[in-house]
Amino acid sequence: MSIFVLVHGSWHDGSAWKPVIDQLEAKGHLAFAPTIAGHGKGANKNVNHAQCTQSIVDYILDKDLTDIVLLGHSFGGTIIAKVAEAIPHRIKRLIFFDAFVLNDGESLRDNVPPHLQALLDELVRESNDRTVMLPFEMWREVFIDDADLELAQSSYAQLSPEPYQPWIDKLDLKQFYSLPIPKSYLYCTEDNVLPQGEWGWHPKMSSRLGQFRFVQMPGSHEVMFSNPVGLAEKIIASGRD
């Protein structure tokens, strides 16, 4: 049995993981899905990256979870790297699931191509609270292109505006890169949120981990909605001893 803590990405909250948690628990594992500070409907969006990280640290400490497999999806990869710095003794393995792996001193925004940087900046300017909301057309065509229209619409309805400050905060990751915690990279082969190739998840992001276990599966960036059964199986494979 493993204890999984699943950290969501931008625009999501912990509820995105429910179908996956059901599968993991059916196979005898424990799984938790906290919501990052500033995320979810009705949340105060005025947060920075450090506050986002601290909310996950607090969740793990409040539940006194140890020997955990800590997974971060997309933006969540930047969170689990900083959580690992704070409480390394509680973590058995890190799983980066189509996740950002930043170089020391970089921001998340630094790691998306220029056309996406421009789009994000424009969406922030259009908001009145320094948040970014993903257009539905981009969600359907790029994020969850392996789903039918009904699933694309129902999953989009769960999203909420993303705080922008955590995207532009520069992260000191020197300590992260010195940690001996085992790492895995779980890659969905049809994920086009970062354009395949020069900017892609693998090998650009994954190779920054140094030594890591590599697991891949077919699917889009949002397989927690489109294929929770397959994703749960790959999470177990990624997190095994």
Side-chain angles (χ1 to χ4, degrees), residues 142-212:
V142 180
F143 279 70
I144 194 165
D145 51 334
D146 56 348
D148 60 23
L149 177 59
E150 183 179 6
L151 180 57
Q153 289 173 330
S154 63
S155 55
Y156 185 76
Q158 298 181 39
L159 306 182
S160 64
E162 175 71 8
Y164 198 43
Q165 188 62 45
W167 273 69
I168 60 177
D169 285 339
K170 306 277 189 182
L171 303 187
D172 181 339
L173 290 163
K174 295 180 190 67
Q175 186 183 346
F176 168 71
Y177 281 109
S178 72
L179 293 173
I181 300 171
K183 303 169 186 73
S184 299
Y185 202 95
L186 171 52
Y187 171 57
C188 291
T189 51
E190 284 74 50
D191 185 341
N192 289 318
V193 167
L194 288 183
Q196 302 272 352
E198 179 190 358
W199 289 92
W201 300 107
H202 174 74
K204 180 172 182 173
M205 294 293 163
S206 59
S207 64
R208 294 173 175 176
L209 294 174
Q211 180 175 295
F212 65 98

Side-chain angles (χ1 to χ4, degrees), residues 1-8 14 17 20-34 56 59-60 63-72 80 90-97 184 186 213 215 230-241:
M1 184 198 79
S2 293
I3 302 170
F4 294 99
V5 177
L6 310 178
V7 180
H8 61 82
W17 293 111
V20 175
I21 285 178
D22 290 345
Q23 295 297 321
L24 292 172
E25 292 184 340
K27 294 177 183 296
H29 302 283
L30 282 176
F32 301 86
I56 302 303
Y59 180 94
I60 292 167
K63 292 197 174 299
D64 196 24
L65 301 177
T66 57
D67 206 30
I68 64 173
V69 177
L70 180 62
L71 177 148
I80 68 169
R90 290 180 178 263
I91 300 168
K92 181 168 71 172
R93 177 174 287 271
L94 296 168
I95 302 175
F96 292 80
F97 163 39
S184 299
L186 171 52
R213 177 183 299 158
V215 177
L231 177 56
E233 291 172 353
K234 293 298 184 180
I235 289 174
I236 292 167
S238 300
R240 65 172 169 75
D241 289 333

Side-chain angles (χ1 to χ4, degrees), residues 118-150:
L119 174 62
L120 289 165
D121 293 346
E122 179 184 344
L123 292 170
V124 171
R125 283 193 297 270
E126 291 173 0
S127 78
N128 58 9
D129 57 358
R130 286 187 57 73
T131 62
V132 177
M133 189 56 197
L134 199 62
F136 175 72
E137 296 75 15
M138 189 174 181
W139 173 255
R140 187 186 180 194
E141 295 296 327
V142 180
F143 279 70
I144 194 165
D145 51 334
D146 56 348
D148 60 23
L149 177 59
E150 183 179 6

Side-chain angles (χ1 to χ4, degrees), residues 72-125:
H73 177 232
S74 197
F75 160 70
T78 71
I79 300 294
I80 68 169
K82 296 300 291 182
V83 170
E85 290 184 346
I87 48 171
H89 55 289
R90 290 180 178 263
I91 300 168
K92 181 168 71 172
R93 177 174 287 271
L94 296 168
I95 302 175
F96 292 80
F97 163 39
D98 281 0
F100 287 94
V101 182
L102 305 190
N103 292 314
D104 178 47
E106 291 180 343
S107 71
L108 200 151
R109 183 185 178 278
D110 294 335
N111 281 270
V112 300
H115 74 277
L116 285 178
Q117 292 182 3
L119 174 62
L120 289 165
D121 293 346
E122 179 184 344
L123 292 170
V124 171
R125 283 193 297 270

